[in-house]
Amino acid sequence: MEWEPVIGLEIHAQLATSSKIFSGASTAFGAQPNTQACAVDLGLPGVLPVLNREVIRMAASFGLATGSTVSKRSVFARKNYFYPDLPKGYQISQYELPVVQDGELTIELEDGTSKRIGITRAHLEEDAGKSLHEDFHGMTGIDLNRAGTPLLEIVSEPDMRSAKEAVAYMKMIHSLVRYLEISDGNMQEGSFRCDANVSVRPVGRESFGTRAEIKNINSFRFVEQAINYEIERQILLLESGGAVIQETRLFDPDRHETRSMRSKEEANDYRYFPDPDLLPVVLDQEFIDGVAAALPELPAARRQRFVDQYGLSDYDAGVLTASREFAEFFEATAREAGGNGKLAANWVMGEFTAALNKGGIDIADSPVSSGDLGRMLLRIDDGTISGKIAKQVFEAMWNGEGDADRIIEEKGLKQITDPAAIEAVIREVLENSPKQLEQYRGGQEKVFGYFVGQVMKATKGKANPGEVNALLKKMLGS
Amino acid sequence: MQHKTLAELSAGLDSGDYTSEELTTACLERIERLNGPLNCFITVTAEEALAAARAADARRQSGKAGPLTGIPYAHKDIFCTRGVRTSCASRMLDNFISPYDATVTQRLAAAGAVMLGKTNMDEFAMGSSNETSYYGPVRNPWNQDTVPGGSSGGSAAAVAARLVPASTGTDTGGSIRQPASLCGVTGLKPTYGRVSRYGMIAFASSLDQGGPITRTAEDAALLLEAMAGFDERDSTSVDQPVEDYRAGLGNSLKGMKIGLPAEYFDGAVDSGVGDAVEQALEEFRRLGAETVDIRLPHTYLSVPTYYVVAPAECSSNLSRFDGVRFGHRCQDPQDLEDMYKRSRGEGFGAEVKRRIMIGTYALSAGYYDAYYLKAQQARHLIRDDFRQAFEAVDVIMGPTTPTPAFRLGEKVDDPVTMYLSDVYTIAVNLAGLPGLSVPAGFVDGLPVGLHVIGNYFDEARLLNVAHQYQQVSDWHTRVPEGFE
C-alpha cells in the first residue's frame, strides 16, 4: 500500500525581550542557576504576573507578517500541571483566545514548486525552568532562570506531507522571526524548537490517521530525521497489522529514533481556565496599524526587490533572502562594490558561502566583512585584478592578511593590461614554441589555448585574459 | 488607651499625650495578658513593633507624621511580611519566612503604622468560623464558646477584645464582613481592584480583596486610605485616585435611598437578627433616608456559583505549594510523586483539601462547561441584578449574616450549612462591589451586623452611612465582658 504522511508543527520561538513575560527579571542566557529568577518567577506565595507589553507587539508583528488575524481581544489562561521546574503548578498560556489566528506561509520545494502552509494560531506563553539531573547525587536540581521567558508558539495546520516540507516550513518561520527581530532563533540555546505531529494514511484517504507527537526537537536536521523515522515506524506498524496509538514521543538524536514518553491515557488534564490575575489583552486598530507600519521588509518582498534592483535570477534572490543576515550581508557588499549586484551575488553565494561552510563559521563571525568583500569586488570591476586572482586575494583576506588593496600590492597581483608588455610575453612564448606554432598554422586551432596558458603562466596569471586573447589572435593572424 | 479609637489615638499621639512606644507597649502587654484563650495571633512581633514605634515617634517629632504614624495594628497572616513568618494559618507555610513585603504591608509601613503581629485566620482563608486554622480556633470575645467568624477571625476578635485599635483582613466571600458582624466591629471589603492583591496570598483571585477591620467607620476610613491605591504589580488593581474617605463622613443622609432586597429578609434570617436590622433601618429613616423595596432575583445562585468559582481558582492557586521551593516538604520522599502527595497531604488541612478537590473537579475536561462556565454566566446575572438595583438606590442594606455567632464545633462537620452562613456576603464578591458590616445590636449577648452594599468605588458613601449611624448608636462602643 502507498502511504501519505501528514505533518503539523508546533514551533516555540523565544521572544527577544530583555525582561520576562510576566516579571522584570532578565532573560539573558547562560547566567548562574537561579540568579535570574525573581519572586514572581519563583512563584512565591502572593506574587502576581504583570504582562510585558513588548511581547504583544512582537506577536502582532508575526501575525501581520503571515497574513493572520491579530485578535483585538486575547486572553491568558492557566494550564495546570505539576512539574518541579514549573513553579506555580500552572503555565500561563493562551488557550481559547490566542493573539494571532488564521494565517499562512508559502514554502518552496526542491522541485521549484511552492506550497501554502496554513498557520492555525500563534499564542503567547511563559517557558518553564530546567530540571538538572546530573551532579546532584540522585536528586534533581532546578534552575528557574528560564522560567517566565516569553515564547510564541506557532501552530501550523497539518498541511505538510514530507519531512522535507516540514523542514522547509520550519526554516521559513525561523527566517521570518529573525527578519522581524522578534527572536534570535538560537537553536543550541533552545530559543527555537518544535514539536512535530506525525501521522500516515493510505494515499487517497481523506481522514487522518492517529498521530504521534514528537516533543522538543531543536535542529532542522533532527526534525527531518525524527519525522522520517516516525513515518517509517508508523508504516511498518500498520503494515504488520498493528495500530498507531496517540502518544507523546521523544526523539533520541544519538540513536536517530523516537521513543514513547506517555500515552493519551497518561496525558494530563490541563484544566485550562482564564487566568484571573491578568486582564484580557485588548488591542485597538491604531496599535495594530502602528505595528504594521513598523514591519521591516519581509523575505518575499526583498526577494522581488533583489530581482528588480540587481537583475538577479529569482533563484539567486531566493537563496540570498533565506536569512536576514545573509540578505543584509549581500546588500552591504553590493553597495560597497558600487552597486554591482550580480558580481556581489556570485561572490557571496560562491566563495564566501563556501568559506563559511568549510570553517563552520556563522556569518556574524566572518573574518571578511561585507566592506572587505565589496572593496575587493571593486578591484575586479575596475580591472585591477582578474576574477581568478581575486580568489587568491579573498583567501588571503580570509586568513587575516589585510584588505584587498594591501594584498594586491604586497603580493604584486595587479593585473597586466599594458598591450606592449603583453605583446612582449606573447612574442617570447611564440618563439619558444615553434612546434605548436606549426601545428596551429597547419589548422589545429585548439593549440590557441596552449598559447594562452603559456602567457598566463609566464605572467603568473596576472595578464588581463581579454587582452591576451585579442593580442594573440592579432599576432597569430599576421 | 486601649478603649480609644484609632482617630482618637492619632490625635493623642499628635498632642503628645503618649508616644507610639508607650501605646505599642500597652498593646503588647494587653495581648500578652488577654490573647491566650482568644488565640487571635499566630505570631506577635514585639521587638519589630517596638523598633517601628520608636521610628514612628522620631518621625512624628520631625513633623512628618501622617494620621497612622505610630498607630499599632494587627496584620492578617495572609499578607506577606518580609523576615516574618507568613503562614496563612497552614502547616504548609508554618516554616515560611517571606522574603518580601506585600504592597499593603509596604503601604502601611510607609504610613508609619506599627505592626504588632500576624493574626489567626482560617487556613488559606477558607472557612467561616476560624476553625480550620492549623494554629487552632479563635474564640469570640463576646462568648468564648462561640466562633468569631472567618476567615479574618483573629483580626476581628483582636479589635473586639481591644487588643489592637485596628487590623487588616481579606474578604473572598465575606471573610471581613462576617467576622466583623459576629465580633461587633466595623469591617469593610472594598471594590475589587481598590486594594492591591500583590503579596496577599491568593485564595480565589477574582474575588479576594483586602480591607480594614476597626471599631468605627472613621477608623476604617483612615486605614483604607493607607491601604488602597493603584499598584502596577497587580494587573487587576484599578488606576483611580484614592479619595479622602474622611471628608464626606459628616454628610447628611437626607434623601438617600436605601434598597432592601426581599431576598435578604426571608425566613432564613434569625428573628433576633431581623429585629436588630429593622431597628437600625428605623434609625436610618429618622436620619432622613428613604427605604425602598427592591429585588435581587438571582441571589439564590450566589452560594452555588461561589462554590464553583472560588474552589476552581483555589485549586490552581494552591498548586504552587508542592514542597519544591518553599513550605512544607515531607520527610524522606521516595520519588517525585511521593513528595508531592505527602507534602500536600500533610501540609493542607481538610477544608483546603475539600476545596482543591471540588475546584479540580469543576475544571476537569468534560465538566468545565457544566460548572465553571455556567458559574461565570451566573456571575453575570448576579452582577446585572446589582447594576439594575443601583439605578434606583444609593446603597443596599440587610443583615450581614443570617444568625449571630454559632458555637465552636457546631457546623464544622457540615460544610454546606457553614457555607450558607455567607449567603448575604458572597454575592458582593461575585459582583466585585464594596460592602461593609457595621455593629447594629445584640441577640443574647452576641453582636449583630448590618450589611451595607455600595456601588463600585462608592466606599466613601458606605463609610458616610456607617459613620452617621455610629453618631446615633453605641453598639460599636460596647466592650465584651472581661475585656473592659
Side-chain angles (χ1 to χ4, degrees):
Chain A
M1 194 185 297
E2 283 255 21
W3 297 91
E4 179 181 53
V6 174
I7 301 154
L9 295 187
E10 291 167 18
I11 294 173
H12 293 85
Q14 182 182 316
L15 296 177
T17 53
S18 53
S19 62
K20 293 185 177 178
I21 183 167
F22 299 119
S23 82
S26 166
T27 53
F29 181 81
Q32 285 295 303
N34 297 312
T35 55
Q36 285 178 180
C38 68
V40 173
D41 306 324
L42 291 171
L44 286 183
V47 298
L48 297 170
V50 176
L51 180 65
N52 179 345
R53 298 290 300 183
E54 183 65 2
V55 303
I56 297 292
R57 188 195 63 75
M58 289 180 165
S61 73
F62 176 82
L64 292 167
T66 51
S68 309
T69 305
V70 176
S71 310
K72 295 217 167 138
R73 185 170 181 276
S74 60
V75 169
F76 282 98
R78 293 184 184 179
K79 179 180 180 179
N80 294 284
Y81 64 98
F82 284 99
Y83 205 71
D85 58 27
L86 185 72
K88 298 186 292 296
Y90 58 84
Q91 178 194 32
I92 305 177
S93 180
Q94 294 187 312
Y95 185 55
E96 283 181 328
L97 296 169
V99 63
V100 167
Q101 294 183 79
D102 198 18
E104 63 175 55
L105 266 189
T106 302
I107 58 167
E108 287 208 21
L109 306 177
E110 280 177 344
D111 64 7
T113 61
S114 57
K115 180 170 179 177
R116 174 204 166 276
I117 306 293
I119 293 170
T120 315
R121 57 187 276 158
H123 64 254
L124 289 161
E125 61 185 26
E126 58 178 342
D127 207 343
K130 277 182 187 162
S131 293
L132 308 165
H133 300 291
E134 294 90 27
D135 308 328
F136 293 96
H137 313 288
M139 312 232 282
T140 298
I142 307 290
D143 177 6
L144 294 174
N145 282 352
R146 200 181 66 182
T149 297
L151 299 176
L152 185 66
E153 180 172 331
I154 304 155
V155 182
S156 82
E157 290 287 304
D159 285 345
M160 288 152 279
R161 296 289 174 265
S162 69
K164 286 228 180 315
E165 287 184 17
V167 171
Y169 166 78
M170 192 176 174
K171 282 187 170 165
M172 193 83 181
I173 296 278
H174 186 252
S175 160
L176 186 61
V177 295
R178 285 157 58 108
Y179 263 93
L180 294 169
E181 291 183 319
I182 61 174
S183 174
D184 67 13
N186 189 320
M187 298 171 90
Q188 278 89 46
E189 293 175 3
S191 308
F192 194 84
R193 54 190 197 261
C194 92
D195 304 338
N197 283 298
V198 179
S199 65
V200 297
R201 63 181 173 190
V203 170
R205 182 175 292 179
E206 281 274 321
S207 59
F208 294 140
T210 305
R211 67 170 196 267
E213 184 183 23
I214 315 165
K215 280 289 207 197
N216 252 330
I217 326 174
N218 68 347
S219 88
F220 298 124
R221 195 156 52 90
F222 292 164
V223 166
E224 187 163 354
Q225 287 172 356
I227 291 174
N228 279 333
Y229 173 87
E230 187 57 24
I231 292 168
E232 216 39 44
R233 186 188 73 86
Q234 293 186 12
I235 292 174
L236 277 173
L237 196 61
L238 292 168
E239 289 190 337
S240 62
V244 175
I245 55 165
Q246 191 175 331
E247 62 180 350
T248 303
R249 299 180 70 84
L250 269 184
F251 178 65
D252 180 340
D254 297 325
R255 297 184 172 195
H256 295 193
E257 64 180 30
T258 65
R259 279 202 296 274
S260 182
M261 198 172 137
R262 58 172 179 261
S263 72
K264 191 188 173 188
E265 285 68 36
E266 300 166 87
N268 288 305
D269 176 356
Y270 291 121
R271 291 172 283 123
Y272 281 101
F273 74 106
D275 191 334
D277 288 333
L278 290 161
L279 303 175
V281 179
V282 177
L283 305 180
D284 55 22
Q285 193 57 44
E286 196 183 346
F287 173 82
I288 296 171
D289 291 347
V291 175
L295 281 183
E297 186 181 38
L298 297 175
R302 184 168 287 183
R303 177 175 181 165
Q304 190 54 48
R305 181 169 64 77
F306 281 7
V307 170
D308 299 340
Q309 183 176 340
Y310 299 109
L312 303 183
S313 71
D314 187 54
Y315 175 82
D316 285 359
V319 172
L320 288 169
T321 53
S323 85
R324 181 175 182 152
E325 292 75 7
F326 207 57
E328 280 169 1
F329 189 93
F330 158 73
E331 274 219 286
T333 304
R335 205 179 309 121
E336 196 69 32
N340 191 338
K342 275 191 161 165
L343 184 63
N346 285 338
W347 274 85
V348 170
M349 290 165 62
E351 295 297 308
F352 179 70
T353 299
L356 286 179
N357 290 345
K358 195 173 155 202
I361 293 170
D362 198 79
I363 194 162
D365 305 321
S366 163
V368 173
S369 71
S370 55
D372 295 337
L373 182 59
R375 282 187 292 278
M376 186 195 84
L377 299 184
L378 274 181
R379 298 286 87 83
I380 298 177
D381 219 29
D382 67 13
T384 307
I385 53 172
S386 67
K388 200 167 173 190
I389 289 293
K391 290 183 184 181
Q392 271 186 58
V393 177
F394 179 78
E395 201 180 317
M397 288 200 303
W398 192 266
N399 294 331
E401 294 174 33
D403 65 23
D405 286 339
R406 189 173 138 199
I407 292 165
I408 293 165
E409 184 64 38
E410 282 181 0
K411 298 199 175 214
L413 297 175
K414 201 169 172 192
Q415 188 162 249
I416 303 165
T417 47
D418 174 14
I422 294 172
E423 260 183 52
V425 178
I426 292 173
R427 200 167 296 122
E428 202 183 314
V429 167
L430 294 181
E431 273 169 19
N432 294 336
S433 322
K435 205 170 109 198
Q436 286 80 359
L437 194 58
E438 200 171 311
Q439 287 170 347
Y440 183 82
R441 292 208 163 120
Q444 293 187 45
E445 289 190 8
K446 64 180 177 192
V447 184
F448 186 80
Y450 168 81
F451 297 128
V452 174
Q454 289 300 314
V455 173
M456 294 312 279
K457 192 176 165 189
T459 58
K460 297 195 176 97
K462 290 184 290 183
N464 180 313
E467 203 70 31
V468 172
N469 273 311
L471 286 170
L472 196 55
K473 257 189 191 131
K474 194 174 112 199
M475 287 164 75
L476 286 168
S478 64
Chain B
M1 259 187 290
Q2 281 71 33
H3 297 282
K4 292 191 187 319
T5 66
L6 192 162
E8 288 162 356
L9 291 171
S10 187
L13 288 168
D14 257 348
S15 57
D17 297 348
Y18 33 80
T19 63
S20 174
E21 189 174 359
E22 286 163 358
L23 179 55
T24 302
T25 305
C27 284
L28 289 169
E29 278 172 10
R30 197 168 158 87
I31 291 169
E32 176 75 31
R33 188 157 57 85
L34 296 170
N35 178 54
L38 297 180
N39 197 24
C40 294
F41 284 86
I42 291 173
T43 305
V44 175
T45 51
E47 273 181 42
E48 293 93 327
L50 288 169
R54 285 190 283 269
D57 286 332
R59 178 169 159 185
R60 198 166 279 278
Q61 284 199 327
S62 69
K64 288 177 199 151
L68 291 187
T69 305
I71 299 291
Y73 79 101
H75 210 15
K76 188 176 180 181
D77 206 18
I78 198 169
F79 289 99
C80 283
T81 43
R82 191 164 67 157
V84 175
R85 174 173 62 182
T86 302
S87 74
C88 239
S90 179
R91 183 183 180 195
M92 183 57 87
L93 290 179
D94 184 46
N95 65 0
F96 180 65
I97 311 288
S98 176
Y100 78 103
D101 274 333
T103 297
V104 167
T105 308
Q106 268 182 4
R107 283 182 192 264
L108 290 176
V114 174
M115 186 182 86
L116 297 175
K118 308 292 292 287
T119 58
N120 204 347
M121 53 184 279
D122 279 299
E123 184 181 7
F124 281 103
M126 297 176 200
S128 307
S129 66
N130 220 305
E131 292 169 291
T132 70
S133 170
Y134 173 61
Y135 302 93
V138 173
R139 289 170 186 272
N140 191 322
W142 293 95
N143 177 344
Q144 296 192 26
D145 293 331
T146 67
V147 303
S151 65
S152 310
S155 286
V159 173
R162 308 296 200 254
L163 304 184
V164 293
S167 63
T168 60
T170 62
D171 190 317
T172 305
S175 281
I176 287 175
R177 292 159 291 156
Q178 186 254 18
S181 173
L182 269 44
C183 289
V185 296
T186 305
L188 171 64
K189 180 205 96 75
T191 307
Y192 184 77
R194 180 69 294 183
V195 172
S196 170
R197 293 187 298 115
Y198 188 81
M200 197 176 99
I201 298 176
F203 160 16
S205 313
S206 73
L207 303 164
D208 296 343
Q209 187 63 201
I213 296 176
T214 53
R215 278 171 30 220
T216 67
E218 184 183 18
D219 290 358
L222 279 162
L223 195 53
L224 179 62
E225 237 175 89
M227 293 173 77
F230 175 65
D231 180 7
E232 59 180 17
R233 290 177 297 184
D234 175 1
S235 310
T236 62
S237 90
V238 177
D239 193 358
Q240 187 168 311
V242 177
E243 292 170 61
D244 177 352
Y245 293 116
R246 280 168 298 164
L249 290 177
N251 290 352
S252 160
L253 303 188
K254 276 205 176 62
M256 176 176 283
K257 284 192 173 138
I258 298 170
L260 305 177
E263 294 79 3
Y264 290 8
F265 293 89
D266 60 9
V269 185
D270 171 278
S271 64
V273 171
D275 291 347
V277 169
E278 191 41 60
Q279 282 172 33
L281 293 172
E282 202 44 54
E283 206 63 65
F284 280 105
R285 291 185 194 107
R286 275 196 286 275
L287 288 167
E290 182 191 336
T291 53
V292 184
D293 289 332
I294 59 165
R295 296 293 309 272
L296 295 170
H298 296 100
T299 298
Y300 73 101
L301 293 175
S302 301
V303 173
T305 299
Y306 177 85
Y307 278 98
V308 171
V309 173
E313 293 182 6
C314 108
S315 72
S316 175
N317 282 334
L318 269 59
S319 293
R320 70 189 60 199
F321 304 106
D322 56 6
V324 174
R325 298 165 313 285
F326 47 74
H328 178 70
R329 183 189 284 187
C330 67
Q331 290 285 312
D332 304 318
Q334 301 299 302
D335 54 29
L336 183 61
E337 193 164 319
D338 182 47
M339 184 176 93
Y340 282 152
K341 284 183 173 168
R342 282 201 290 130
S343 298
R344 288 170 67 81
E346 295 161 6
F348 291 138
E351 183 62 26
V352 170
K353 285 178 195 165
R354 180 180 295 126
R355 297 198 194 192
I356 290 174
M357 283 189 280
I358 294 171
T360 302
Y361 181 83
L363 290 174
S364 294
Y367 298 99
Y368 179 84
D369 288 4
Y371 292 105
Y372 189 79
L373 215 56
K374 206 41 116 189
Q376 292 300 343
Q377 289 163 353
R379 203 170 168 176
H380 279 292
L381 296 175
I382 291 162
R383 201 175 291 157
D384 285 345
D385 276 0
F386 282 110
R387 187 173 302 143
Q388 282 180 19
F390 281 117
E391 282 171 13
V393 301
D394 299 305
V395 293
I396 293 169
M397 287 188 190
T400 306
T401 60
T403 65
F406 45 90
R407 301 181 77 79
L408 277 157
E410 185 182 327
K411 297 184 181 178
V412 77
D413 295 322
D414 185 359
V416 174
T417 309
M418 182 83 87
Y419 297 168
L420 286 170
S421 67
D422 294 331
V423 60
Y424 305 126
T425 48
I426 271 175
V428 171
N429 298 77
L430 289 168
L433 293 164
L436 171 147
S437 181
V438 60
F442 285 85
V443 178
D444 301 331
L446 291 169
V448 172
L450 175 75
H451 193 201
V452 191
I453 304 167
N455 211 338
Y456 297 104
F457 295 99
D458 227 356
E459 284 81 3
R461 193 193 298 265
L462 295 187
L463 291 163
N464 167 223
V465 165
H467 181 75
Q468 288 303 306
Y469 179 68
Q470 287 177 338
Q471 303 313 298
V472 296
S473 65
D474 66 353
W475 311 113
H476 61 287
T477 65
R478 309 274 179 100
V479 187
E481 203 183 313
F483 297 93
E484 297 89 353

